[in-house]
Amino acid sequence: MTKPIRFNAFEMNCIGHQSPGLWRHPRDRSWSYNDLEYWTDLGRLLETGFFDSVFIADVIGYYDVYKGSLHPALEQGVQIPVNDPLQLANPIAQATEHLGIGITASTSFEHPYTFARRLSTADHHTKGRVGWNIVTSYLESGARNIGQKGLRSHDNRYDVAAEYVEVLYKLFEGSWEEGAVLRDRERGLFADPTKIHEIGHKGRYFDVPGYHLCEPSPQRTPVLFQAGASGAGKAFAAGHAECVFISTPLKSATAAYVREIRAKAAAAGRDPKKVLIYAMATIITDETDEKARRKFEEYQTYASYDGALVLMSGWTGIDFGRYAPTDTVKKVETNAIISAVEHLSSGEKTWTIEELAKWGGIGGMGPLFVGSAATVADQLQEWIEETDVDGFNLAYALAHETFADVIGHVVPELQRRGVYPSAYREGTLREKLFGDGPLLPETHPAARYRDIQAVKRAEAEARTRIPEPATA
C-alpha cells in the first residue's frame, strides 16, 4: 500500500497566483484577495479537507523580464499587485483550529533582528501553527527597490541565508533560556534576567549583539519550509528545512531530487524521514473523467498566453517574448531560479514557447492531474510510489473551486484507500506534522545555539586565534 499522502494549499496574497488570466472566470474568487473573508473562508475549507497547511508564497519585486517591461504583468495581473503574507497568519488562525500557516519571507530583503520579532509574534498569536518558507529571492527589481545595485550571485544569496538563519537560531533558541519567564505575581518578577542573554553575533553580513525582543513562542523556531532546487538550494534544504517543496513536471527529476535531499540530510546527521517533501501539482477533478476534462478545457479558454510567459520569464530570467511561439527553449545562464532553467532545458522534453505558455497557464511548473477522484488518486499514488515524495503542494486554477473539488472528490477517495488522514494531531504545527514535541530536535543545527554562552565563548576564541606561521 502507498504511504500516506499529505496536502498543502499553495496560495499567494494576490490575484490568480499560478494561473494567470483565470481571475476573469465568473466562478473565481481570487479577485477578492484583499478581503479577509477570502482567507478565512479558505482556511475553514482547507481544514475540512485535513490539509497540513496553507502555504503562502511571496515575491519582493515584480516580473519585468518578459518583453523587457512590467506592462504585461500589470495588464494580466500576474503577481502584482501583491500584499504582505505575514499579516494573513492571524485571521486564518482565528478562523481555524488546526491548519498550519506557512509564510514566505526573503533573507535578501529584511534584517533578521526585526524579522525574528515578527515571526515570533505570529507564532504566539497562532499558538504555534506558523511555518517560515525561507527564500533568497530571484527578482532584480526587488533588489533595486531597496537600494541594492542588484541581486547577489545565486550561490552568494545562500551564503547570506546561512548566516541569516544562524542569527535567528541564536535569537529563537538561545537568547531566552527555558524558565526565564517567571510571571511571579507574589514577588513581582516577570522574568529572570540571569537567564536572558545577548547573542553577540558578529558575522560577515550581520552584526546582532543584543537580546531577542520576544519571549519564547510555542515552537521557539517556527517550522522551517524551503523550496530551493539548485545545488546550493538542495544543500541548504538538507541542512535546515523540515518541509521541502519541489516544482517539476517530471517524475524522474522529482525522484532524483528526493533521493539527493534525503541522502544529504542523513549525511548532516538528520533523520531523512523527518524531512517532508511536497511536489507542486494542480488537480482538476469532477464526478467523472469526462466532466473533469470538460472543466479543464473550460479553464483553458481563460488562461493568458502572455501571463504564463510573464511568470516563466521571471522564474528563469529568460525573456521568452524575444522568441517565436514555435521556437524551442534553450538553456541560458541566468541569476534567477537555476533549477527552473534546468528543468525546461534538460533534454527529457523539448518545449516550444507556445507549449510552455499553454502548460504554465494553469498551475505553474508542477504536474497537472485531470480526472475523476479514482483517476486522480491513482496518479497521486503512482507519484508517491515512484518518487518517494510525502505529499503535494496544490496550486489552484479557480479560487476556491479547485480546493473545494479536491476536498469533495479526491480526499474521500484517498481516505477510502487508507492513505489520507481523517483527523489532525493535537498541538503545534511541528507536532501535527511529525508527532514529536513542539521544538526542533537535537539533531537540527539550531539546537547547537541553545547554550548561547558556550557559543559566544567558542566564537570569541575563534576570532582571537592567531594562525601559526607557515614553515618552509
Side-chain angles (χ1 to χ4, degrees):
M1 183 178 70
T2 307
K3 69 179 182 180
I5 293 175
R6 321 178 72 105
F7 285 157
N8 286 311
F10 195 28
E11 259 281 10
M12 191 170 179
N13 200 352
C14 67
I15 293 174
H17 190 202
Q18 304 262 34
S19 298
L22 272 83
W23 59 268
R24 300 180 299 124
H25 193 288
R27 295 196 303 275
D28 184 73
R29 286 189 61 183
S30 66
W31 57 270
S32 65
Y33 73 99
N34 283 318
D35 299 333
L36 285 182
E37 291 80 8
Y38 174 93
W39 298 101
T40 54
D41 288 351
L42 175 62
R44 283 187 285 263
L45 172 65
L46 297 176
E47 197 158 87
T48 67
F50 304 103
F51 277 51
D52 285 341
S53 70
V54 53
F55 170 43
I56 305 172
D58 191 37
V59 290
I60 298 295
Y62 33 79
Y63 291 83
D64 57 0
V65 176
Y66 182 62
K67 297 184 178 180
S69 172
L70 178 61
H71 287 185
L74 289 169
E75 290 169 352
Q76 303 299 319
V78 183
Q79 296 188 11
I80 186 170
V82 56
N83 292 342
D84 178 31
L86 191 55
Q87 295 188 51
L88 297 175
N90 284 0
I92 294 173
Q94 284 188 309
T96 59
E97 183 179 356
H98 298 285
L99 186 71
I101 304 126
I103 302 296
T104 298
S106 176
T107 58
S108 295
F109 298 137
E110 183 169 2
H111 195 279
Y113 186 68
T114 53
F115 179 64
R117 181 173 73 160
R118 295 176 67 221
L119 200 55
S120 287
T121 301
D123 200 49
H124 278 298
H125 287 172
T126 63
K127 294 183 169 57
R129 286 194 277 141
V130 162
W132 171 34
N133 177 39
I134 309 167
V135 298
T136 63
S137 295
Y138 54 88
L139 293 178
E140 292 285 349
S141 58
R144 293 195 304 268
N145 280 294
I146 64 163
Q148 298 177 5
K149 294 180 179 179
L151 281 178
R152 298 175 182 270
S153 68
H154 181 276
D155 286 2
N156 183 241
R157 297 200 297 272
Y158 277 102
D159 293 337
V160 175
E163 186 177 335
Y164 195 105
V165 297
E166 179 184 337
V167 173
L168 292 188
Y169 295 157
K170 289 176 177 179
L171 292 168
F172 292 149
E173 301 289 337
S175 185
W176 293 63
E177 292 182 28
E178 287 298 319
V181 178
L182 302 174
R183 290 186 173 85
D184 188 332
R185 290 183 173 87
E186 295 298 322
R187 294 187 295 160
L189 295 176
F190 180 80
D192 181 351
T194 67
K195 293 185 176 182
I196 305 169
H197 312 288
E198 295 179 301
I199 66 168
H201 180 86
K202 188 173 183 62
R204 180 180 178 186
Y205 302 107
F206 303 106
D207 286 340
V208 184
Y211 306 91
H212 188 28
L213 292 170
C214 300
E215 64 180 279
S217 68
Q219 299 181 112
R220 280 189 174 259
T221 300
V223 171
L224 300 171
F225 296 171
Q226 208 263 341
S230 64
K234 284 184 279 192
F236 188 91
H240 299 276
E242 298 172 89
C243 299
V244 178
F245 304 111
I246 181 171
S247 302
T248 170
L250 304 172
K251 280 189 281 191
S252 57
T254 301
Y257 177 91
V258 172
R259 287 194 299 270
E260 185 174 359
I261 288 293
R262 298 208 195 281
K264 288 180 180 292
R270 302 180 62 202
D271 183 350
K273 295 180 181 179
K274 292 299 178 73
V275 179
L276 299 178
I277 302 177
Y278 298 79
M280 195 177 82
T282 306
I283 294 173
I284 310 297
T285 188
D286 211 314
E287 294 174 346
T288 66
D289 288 344
E290 177 60 22
K291 285 185 177 181
R293 184 187 62 78
R294 288 203 302 267
K295 183 181 289 184
F296 174 54
E297 291 172 351
E298 177 200 6
Y299 291 167
Q300 285 182 306
T301 66
Y302 289 89
S304 168
Y305 178 94
D306 281 338
L309 292 183
V310 165
L311 285 177
M312 294 294 177
S313 296
W315 291 335
T316 62
I318 301 169
D319 180 5
F320 290 117
R322 295 182 299 163
Y323 302 99
T326 54
D327 288 344
T328 58
V329 177
K330 307 290 188 200
K331 184 170 183 178
V332 177
E333 296 298 326
T334 77
N335 197 26
I337 305 178
I338 290 175
S339 62
V341 181
E342 292 173 345
H343 291 326
L344 296 176
S345 58
S346 65
E348 290 189 57
K349 175 177 171 49
T350 300
W351 296 87
T352 67
I353 304 302
E354 187 173 33
E355 288 174 332
L356 186 64
K358 188 173 182 179
W359 167 59
I362 296 179
M365 292 187 66
L368 180 67
F369 304 124
V370 179
S372 66
T375 296
V376 170
D378 287 343
Q379 293 173 319
L380 296 176
Q381 289 189 284
E382 286 175 9
W383 268 73
I384 294 284
E385 291 167 359
E386 295 180 29
T387 68
D388 192 35
V389 295
D390 297 285
F392 297 91
N393 201 34
L394 297 181
Y396 67 84
L398 290 192
H400 302 312
E401 180 172 289
T402 299
F403 296 131
D405 285 345
V406 170
I407 292 166
H409 297 292
V410 178
V411 165
E413 176 65 18
L414 294 175
Q415 289 172 328
R416 186 185 65 78
R417 299 182 185 198
V419 294
Y420 193 84
S422 56
Y424 284 103
R425 291 188 178 115
E426 294 299 319
T428 64
L429 177 56
R430 183 170 286 117
E431 290 170 288
K432 293 178 193 301
L433 292 174
F434 302 105
D436 301 321
L439 307 180
L440 283 165
E442 290 296 321
T443 54
H444 192 277
R448 72 181 65 137
Y449 299 104
R450 287 171 179 159
D451 186 347
I452 196 67
Q453 300 292 58
V455 170
K456 288 193 290 185
R457 288 193 297 270
E459 290 177 344
E461 291 174 7
R463 284 195 294 268
T464 57
R465 192 176 298 121
I466 301 174
E468 295 184 6
T471 57

